[in-house]
């Protein structure tokens, strides 16, 4: 079974600061993918970044980077130079690399960016 | 390329009724997954369809069912609605390769009275 844990229910950050959202996971699958999604109040889940368990380098997508520490089973999301529009719920998720595309989600972190 | 579309966006039903939600995936994507999101349970996987076949199913009662058509469009049906079925239902579209990510639609907000 797979499990995702996000220990920060809410975070408050000043605009332009960097922020790290924590995510730890547990799985018995030999290879897996880790995802981060952003969910604004409108409800749509917006894909941010993906990291494969076999990837040697941490994934980056613009202002988003994923700090992947396989031995510690952590996949933290780092947002650099935060903006007001970054205020939203953020979900960490995972699924096996092979097989059905079933995502397991964490409980999410509500990020609020203050001006 | 158009994104994932879901219809309707909002729905109000009463207990005991049934409802059908629709999802059109990104062009070329053959996998469609459905998720239920509630404040209490968070995001939970309902089922996934790939090439018209259910490939995986979550832990939901038989009142929840789905299907996929030859054009990859998918529908999910909930019969005998209960108050607890009030939720945001999200559909996700994926390509054929396992390494691809899944892209979500805007969701359907269902309220059961």
């Amino acid at each position: 079974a797979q499990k995702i844990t996000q220990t920060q229910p809410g975070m408050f950050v000043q605009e332009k600061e960097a922020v790290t959202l924590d995510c730890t996971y547990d799985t018995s699958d030999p290879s897996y993918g880790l995802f981060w999604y952003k969910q604004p109040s409108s409800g749509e889940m917006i894909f941010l970044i993906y990291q494969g368990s076999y990837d040697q380098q941490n994934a980056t997508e613009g202002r988003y980077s994923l700090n992947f520490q396989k031995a510690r089973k952590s996949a933290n999301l780092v947002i650099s130079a935060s903006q007001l529009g970054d205020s939203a719920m953020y979900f960490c998720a995972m699924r096996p690399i092979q097989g059905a595309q079933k995502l397991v989600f964490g409980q999410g972190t509500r990020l609020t960016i203050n001006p | 390329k158009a994104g994932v579309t879901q219809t309707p966006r909002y729905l109000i039903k009463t207990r005991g009724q049934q409802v059908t939600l629709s999802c059109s995936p990104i062009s070329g994507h053959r996998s469609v997954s459905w998720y239920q999101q509630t404040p209490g349970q968070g995001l939970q996987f309902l089922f996934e369809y790939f090439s018209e076949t259910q490939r995986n199913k979550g832990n939901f009662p038989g009142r929840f069912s789905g299907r996929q058509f030859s054009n990859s469009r998918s529908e999910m049906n909930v019969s005998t609605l209960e108050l607890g079925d009030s939720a945001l239902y999200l559909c996700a579209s994926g390509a054929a390769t396992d390494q691809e990510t899944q892209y979500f639609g805007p969701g359907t907000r269902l309220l059961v009275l």
Side-chain angles (χ1 to χ4, degrees), chain A residues 35 37 39-47 50 54 91 95-107, chain B residues 9 31 33 35 37 41 43 45 48 55-56 88 90 94-95 97-106 109:
Chain A
F35 304 77
Y37 287 89
Q39 187 178 44
S41 57
S42 61
E44 183 172 1
M45 297 286 281
I46 302 169
F47 167 73
Y50 167 81
Y54 45 80
F91 291 93
R95 67 169 167 83
I97 289 292
Q98 295 183 355
Q101 296 195 2
K102 171 186 173 181
L103 285 167
V104 174
F105 287 87
Q107 289 299 308
Chain B
R9 293 292 312 278
S31 169
S33 302
Y35 295 82
Q37 186 177 23
Q41 298 299 317
L43 281 148
F45 172 79
E48 183 213 359
R55 189 157 72 164
N56 203 356
L88 176 66
L90 291 159
T97 59
D98 293 325
Q99 286 76 18
E100 291 286 338
T101 190
Q102 290 171 270
Y103 296 92
F104 284 81
R109 290 190 185 273

Side-chain angles (χ1 to χ4, degrees), chain A residues 16 25 45-46 55-56 83 86-87 91 96 110:
Chain A
K16 299 180 184 177
Y25 62 91
M45 297 286 281
I46 302 169
D55 291 335
Q56 296 296 313
Q83 302 170 357
D86 293 333
S87 294
F91 291 93
R110 181 170 296 281

